Amino acid sequence: MAFTEKQPVTGKQRFKEKLLTVPPPIEVAGRRIKRYHVTADPAGIAPDVEKAAYAILPELLPEPDGTPPVTFVVLHRGGDDGAYLNTYSWVWDNVLHYANAAAGQPVVGCPDHDPTHFITPELPWIGCVFELPPILHERDAWVRHMLAPEVPDLEAYLADSLPAGTTGDRS
């Protein structure tokens, strides 16, 4: 979700994978949250941006429905002022509930360029190319640990994260 009107839509020479880090899980509003951070900055996500993103997280989580209360998030710091928090929560046994927040990106409806001023845009976007790699991994991990075994293993699912590296290291 880091597109701006100033950037061209095509041109392979400008594409470069971003860094992916995997902070430890946290608990928010009774849900266990697996976390992925995406940024081009080797220093990672700035603490003030991370704090602001996780402050809005409770607003993005669905009500409990009997499915183990687990969510995975992708916090992405764009190459400009933008910051994006995509939340994917397991509901109805095998369905992903999606919600997002964005900051610092007027193109998606943010009121300013402040990467700590998160809002919840009304766009139907589920993530950009840098934010999508965790979805496939998390789908497979959910099946592997929660749906396929005779006895679901929530702790094994929580421990099974995409390894840190770059967003393209998934072969």
Side-chain angles (χ1 to χ4, degrees):
M1 295 178 22
F3 172 76
T4 67
E5 292 177 30
K6 297 180 270 183
Q7 297 170 326
V9 177
T10 60
K12 291 185 184 247
Q13 55 276 48
R14 72 177 178 84
F15 181 81
K16 182 178 179 189
E17 295 290 353
K18 291 190 177 183
L19 301 172
L20 177 80
T21 58
V22 186
I26 58 175
E27 188 167 323
V28 174
R31 292 188 80 85
R32 311 257 314 260
I33 312 291
K34 293 174 74 172
R35 302 184 298 158
Y36 296 97
H37 288 183
V38 173
T39 181
D41 186 348
I45 305 282
D48 60 336
V49 173
E50 181 178 359
K51 181 179 178 183
Y54 290 125
I56 199 169
L57 182 56
E59 297 176 35
L60 305 176
L61 301 174
E63 292 295 320
D65 71 349
T67 303
V70 179
T71 296
F72 64 95
V73 299
V74 179
L75 176 56
H76 178 189
R77 185 69 164 94
D80 51 16
D81 295 327
Y84 313 94
L85 180 65
N86 296 339
T87 66
Y88 307 91
S89 299
W90 290 107
V91 297
W92 204 36
D93 189 45
N94 62 8
V95 173
L96 278 178
H97 170 278
Y98 174 73
N100 71 354
Q105 184 56 266
V107 172
V108 299
C110 296
D112 53 43
H113 290 276
D114 179 355
T116 65
H117 185 193
F118 279 86
I119 57 112
T120 54
E122 296 292 325
L123 295 170
W125 302 349
I126 65 164
C128 75
V129 297
F130 304 112
E131 300 160 353
L132 295 177
I135 295 173
L136 178 59
H137 175 85
E138 292 298 323
R139 178 262 181 216
D140 291 346
W142 189 256
V143 169
R144 186 169 41 254
H145 301 294
M146 299 298 293
L147 299 179
E150 204 166 301
V151 177
D153 189 344
L154 181 58
E155 295 306 314
Y157 170 74
L158 290 167
D160 186 346
S161 292
L162 192 60
T166 67
T167 51
D169 290 342
R170 308 297 154 221
S171 51

